[in-house]
Amino acid sequence: MTGAVVAKVRGTPLHEFPENLYIPPDALRVVLEETFEGPLDLLLYLIQRRNLDIMAVSVTEVTEQYLGYIAVMERLRIELAAEYLLMAALLAEIKSRLLLPKPAEEEDAEEDPRAQLVRRLKEYERIKQAAVELDGLPRLGRDLFPVLLTADLPPRTPNLPKVTVDQLADAFRQVLVRAERGRSHAVPRESLSVRARMVRLLESLGHGKPVAFERLFDPGEGRAGLVVTFLALLELCREGRIEVLQREPLAPIQVQLR
Amino acid sequence: MILPDIVEALLLASPEPLDERQLLSLLADEGVDRGELEAALARLRRNCEGRPLELVRVAGGWRYQVRREFSPWVSRLFPEKVGRYSRALLETLAVIAYRQPVTRGDIEAIRGVTVSSQIIRTLEAREWIRVVGHKEVPGRPALYRTTDKFLADFNLEALEQLPPLPADEDKTNTD
Amino acid sequence: MILPDIVEALLLASPEPLDERQLLSLLADEGVDRGELEAALARLRRNCEGRPLELVRVAGGWRYQVRREFSPWVSRLFPEKVGRYSRALLETLAVIAYRQPVTRGDIEAIRGVTVSSQIIRTLEAREWIRVVGHKEVPGRPALYRTTDKFLADFNLEALEQLPPLPADEDKTNTD
């Protein structure tokens, strides 16, 4: 451990974890948040510091130490991640079981929490090791760099869309069909929409105040829509429902209900 | 490690060309001087002889590139997407082809919608249509016709070869 | 033009690794068969001996890359990319790589801590992991797997090439 910086406290590097339980109060949070990847990692550290095999470890001893950390944290009122407290509860349970005589018939009722914990520790240890090895693999962008060369390609004539004469004839037929359809239905549809537009114009003038002439038109409707609005305005004028005002030449034109 | 190999590695991995100044600064720790660098570059250029890549000096510096001779194969890596023309463009072109000469107003009257300037520009850029005069009405709108290039691109010798339209004879017969 | 040169040109110019199937389809017009292609690839690999680049087979195909020995120099080209990842990210990636397919819950069970969404997003943004389905349990959590890009970026051809996990002597790891 000596030599490697295990944690930094306000810029001062710590080269090893203090023996036993003492960790400078300021360091505790840093150690738990930045050095350990959670309670399993802290437990592994406590076990490995003793150079012990997980199977051979004295749960009582590790539990004492772990709970000791938690107690210090609580005394210092450092907010602990929930996972650490959960582990503390599990360890406390294991410890209490060890103190009690084990009734024989309960053997298979549920998995021994100690065995379960050991299994989790071993699995985590494996993954922790795998992560280190993964990081050690040669990696593209860090250790290996892909070769991507520009190719000297001649300027390409832009690949323009192709059209055949049949497509062209087809397009024109469609135009003619549409034009024909438009003509045969033009008269009834147009008069209907002018009627409807007159109603809408009366509604938008309903509050009695004059409205700017241009505001009555919605350019988004396109030509046909604009023409219908204009026809509707003319019709409303003719029927004497509205009046169109201009205070002086070139002044804005206003429309209001009569 | 020998210098030409390091320079080769740098140039092969760099997404941008590297000039002598950049290379020297990348090799500052090794205390490489300009003469050594230039010798290395000359050697790398020679090493490319007979190989599909070459080391060239472009505006931003030196770069390896795949030789032009390989473009028939390399260009297959980057197939170009062929666009498609919109229905609006085809219809505009069709109206001009079948009803020429026409103004934009004529096209709008036939199609029932506004003709976008973009479409006219595209058709002019392909040299399929051109302005042949102005209609003697207020505003003197441009009159469009199709071109000889239009005929050539559509494999026609004359406009009369455009497919006949049944609707042309009897305009009300639209089934 | 000889085949190895053409294959070299294609691989040098391709932004992604190219596998045999892709190469054969790029060379379909030339009527190249698989045996000829494999011979060309073998020859190109040999040609790299003693040079700063190498031709490797990774997941997704063949790729030219600068050898690892040159990374001290080449990495100077990319000073902003330190390529260092947190232990939390590497452990999360390791769980997914070795235990796939896994849910976030599975990862949390193994690591004993909550999996940060930031880490999952980073791994997805690098295209190292992706969602391959949902576990048929309440909440239908997403199942994650590693991708071919993960393998390629770690210089691997298949998952079997990952470093073996430390032995699991007592087989407590069921299911």
Side-chain angles (χ1 to χ4, degrees):
Chain A
M1 267 293 170
T2 316
V5 177
V6 294
K8 275 189 179 175
V9 180
R10 290 180 183 163
T12 315
L14 290 184
H15 287 277
E16 58 184 307
F17 293 110
E19 270 307 307
N20 303 324
L21 277 183
Y22 183 75
I23 286 183
D26 286 346
L28 204 46
R29 178 201 293 270
V30 180
V31 164
L32 282 183
E33 284 178 1
E34 292 177 16
T35 308
F36 295 112
E37 288 294 329
L40 289 172
D41 198 23
L42 174 57
L43 272 177
L44 269 186
Y45 166 73
L46 293 174
I47 292 165
Q48 282 160 355
R49 193 171 61 163
R50 294 263 178 287
N51 241 338
L52 292 172
D53 187 285
I54 295 173
M55 296 306 286
V57 89
S58 152
V59 173
T60 320
E61 192 182 343
V62 170
T63 302
E64 289 297 347
Q65 291 192 18
Y66 186 93
L67 295 177
Y69 273 86
I70 302 303
V72 174
M73 299 289 280
E74 282 175 343
R75 205 167 62 236
L76 293 172
R77 295 199 187 150
I78 293 172
E79 202 182 311
L80 266 178
E83 294 99 350
Y84 284 94
L85 296 174
L86 202 65
M87 181 60 72
L90 179 66
L91 287 170
E93 193 204 335
I94 293 172
K95 197 178 137 191
S96 68
R97 283 200 185 206
L98 290 173
L99 294 176
L100 293 169
K102 199 191 289 176
E105 68 272 23
E106 247 185 52
E107 265 309 281
D108 284 327
E110 56 185 290
E111 196 186 358
D112 173 10
R114 181 176 181 275
Q116 197 188 2
L117 177 64
V118 167
R119 186 170 59 83
R120 287 183 64 193
L121 277 169
K122 294 187 69 147
E123 172 70 352
Y124 177 66
E125 191 187 27
R126 267 195 292 270
I127 286 299
K128 192 179 157 180
Q129 182 60 32
V132 171
E133 292 196 31
L134 209 53
D135 198 32
L137 290 176
R139 195 189 306 158
L140 205 66
R142 186 188 67 180
D143 312 301
L144 304 167
F145 297 88
V147 176
L148 174 56
L149 300 191
T150 315
D152 182 17
L153 298 176
R156 240 194 272 231
T157 44
N159 211 342
L160 295 169
K162 290 184 180 57
V163 186
T164 65
V165 86
D166 288 334
Q167 282 173 291
L168 204 61
D170 234 41
F172 195 58
R173 267 183 220 112
Q174 300 245 333
V175 173
L176 293 178
V177 168
R178 221 173 40 232
E180 203 56 45
R181 216 172 6 221
R183 243 192 304 283
S184 50
H185 297 292
V187 178
R189 206 169 58 190
E190 199 75 347
S191 68
L192 266 180
S193 60
V194 170
R195 239 335 110 185
R197 188 59 56 98
M198 287 165 67
V199 173
R200 226 171 78 192
L201 282 170
L202 287 175
E203 274 166 11
S204 52
L205 293 167
H207 49 69
K209 287 196 212 87
V211 173
F213 179 77
E214 308 85 64
R215 297 251 328 263
L216 295 170
F217 292 87
D218 176 13
E221 280 191 306
R223 268 162 62 122
L226 298 178
V227 168
V228 171
T229 303
F230 188 62
L231 288 176
L233 279 172
L234 291 180
E235 190 65 17
L236 286 168
C237 269
R238 201 180 59 83
E239 290 181 14
R241 311 280 296 273
I242 59 168
E243 55 184 344
V244 180
L245 313 161
Q246 190 174 29
R247 306 254 174 245
E248 56 190 271
L250 303 178
I253 299 171
Q254 307 227 294
V255 180
Q256 67 180 43
L257 290 183
R258 195 190 280 274
Chain B
M1 294 292 160
I2 59 162
L3 186 60
D5 281 351
I6 297 172
V7 175
E8 182 176 352
L10 286 168
L11 289 170
L12 284 172
S14 174
E16 301 296 332
L18 297 171
D19 63 21
E20 286 83 353
R21 197 182 45 75
Q22 289 167 306
L23 285 166
L24 286 174
S25 101
L26 287 162
L27 296 166
D29 289 358
E30 284 71 29
V32 174
D33 71 29
R34 205 177 175 94
E36 291 168 314
L37 176 66
E38 280 167 5
L41 287 165
R43 177 149 152 213
L44 293 175
R45 290 194 84 160
R46 280 197 308 278
N47 286 352
C48 292
E49 279 162 25
R51 299 190 45 220
L53 80 176
E54 61 188 337
L55 181 58
V56 292
R57 183 81 163 87
V58 292
W62 293 92
R63 83 167 174 219
Y64 276 108
Q65 65 183 27
V66 176
R67 289 184 198 271
R68 171 77 66 106
E69 299 95 280
F70 293 88
S71 59
W73 295 276
V74 173
S75 57
R76 293 178 196 167
L77 286 171
F78 313 101
E80 221 180 332
K81 288 182 210 75
V82 183
R84 287 190 49 195
Y85 283 134
S86 64
R87 215 178 91 182
L89 182 137
L90 288 177
E91 289 186 5
T92 303
L93 179 60
V95 171
I96 298 173
Y98 281 92
R99 292 283 184 259
Q100 55 191 307
V102 289
T103 64
R104 280 175 71 144
D106 298 333
I107 303 168
E108 289 177 2
I110 297 173
R111 291 191 56 231
V113 283
T114 314
V115 171
S116 95
S117 303
Q118 179 56 47
I119 285 177
I120 296 291
R121 276 198 299 273
T122 305
L123 291 172
E124 285 182 323
R126 283 214 70 167
E127 296 175 50
W128 281 347
I129 65 165
R130 64 190 179 88
V131 174
V132 290
H134 294 268
K135 195 167 182 175
E136 289 309 330
V137 295
R140 302 191 72 248
L143 282 163
Y144 292 94
R145 266 195 177 285
T146 54
T147 62
D148 283 354
K149 186 160 190 307
F150 163 80
L151 292 175
D153 285 359
F154 283 80
N155 231 0
L156 301 169
E157 272 169 47
L159 281 173
E160 293 69 48
Q161 292 180 343
L162 278 172
L165 296 162
D168 255 357
E169 286 103 69
D170 179 7
K171 286 195 176 137
T172 50
N173 176 29
T174 56
D175 64 338
Chain C
M1 293 292 161
I2 57 162
L3 185 61
D5 282 351
I6 297 172
V7 175
E8 181 175 353
L10 286 170
L11 290 170
L12 286 171
S14 172
E16 301 293 335
L18 296 172
D19 63 21
E20 286 80 356
R21 197 183 45 77
Q22 291 168 307
L23 286 166
L24 286 174
S25 104
L26 287 163
L27 297 165
D29 289 358
E30 283 72 26
V32 174
D33 70 29
R34 206 177 173 96
E36 292 170 315
L37 176 65
E38 279 166 9
L41 287 165
R43 173 147 158 216
L44 292 175
R45 290 193 86 160
R46 280 199 307 279
N47 286 352
C48 291
E49 280 163 24
R51 298 191 47 219
L53 83 175
E54 60 187 340
L55 179 58
V56 292
R57 181 70 163 93
V58 292
W62 292 89
R63 164 176 88 197
Y64 272 110
Q65 63 191 24
V66 175
R67 286 183 200 274
R68 190 174 192 174
E69 301 94 279
F70 293 89
S71 67
W73 293 277
V74 175
S75 56
R76 293 177 195 166
L77 286 170
F78 312 98
E80 72 290 351
K81 276 195 220 158
V82 275
R84 287 182 62 90
Y85 291 106
S86 67
R87 259 185 63 194
L89 181 137
L90 290 165
E91 288 183 9
T92 304
L93 181 60
V95 174
I96 300 172
Y98 284 92
R99 295 285 182 248
Q100 55 191 311
V102 289
T103 64
R104 280 175 75 139
D106 298 333
I107 303 168
E108 291 179 358
I110 292 175
R111 294 193 57 237
V113 286
T114 313
V115 172
S116 98
S117 300
Q118 179 55 50
I119 285 177
I120 295 290
R121 275 200 299 274
T122 304
L123 291 171
E124 284 183 321
R126 299 254 13 200
E127 295 174 52
W128 283 349
I129 65 166
R130 65 191 181 88
V131 174
V132 291
H134 295 267
K135 196 167 181 174
E136 290 306 330
V137 294
R140 303 190 74 245
L143 281 165
Y144 293 95
R145 271 193 177 283
T146 55
T147 61
D148 274 1
K149 185 157 193 307
F150 159 76
L151 291 172
D153 282 4
F154 283 78
N155 214 34
L156 302 170
E157 207 178 331
L159 280 173
E160 293 71 48
Q161 293 179 345
L162 280 171
L165 279 183
D168 187 6
E169 326 86 53
D170 57 0
K171 288 280 164 244
T172 44
N173 176 43
T174 50
D175 66 17

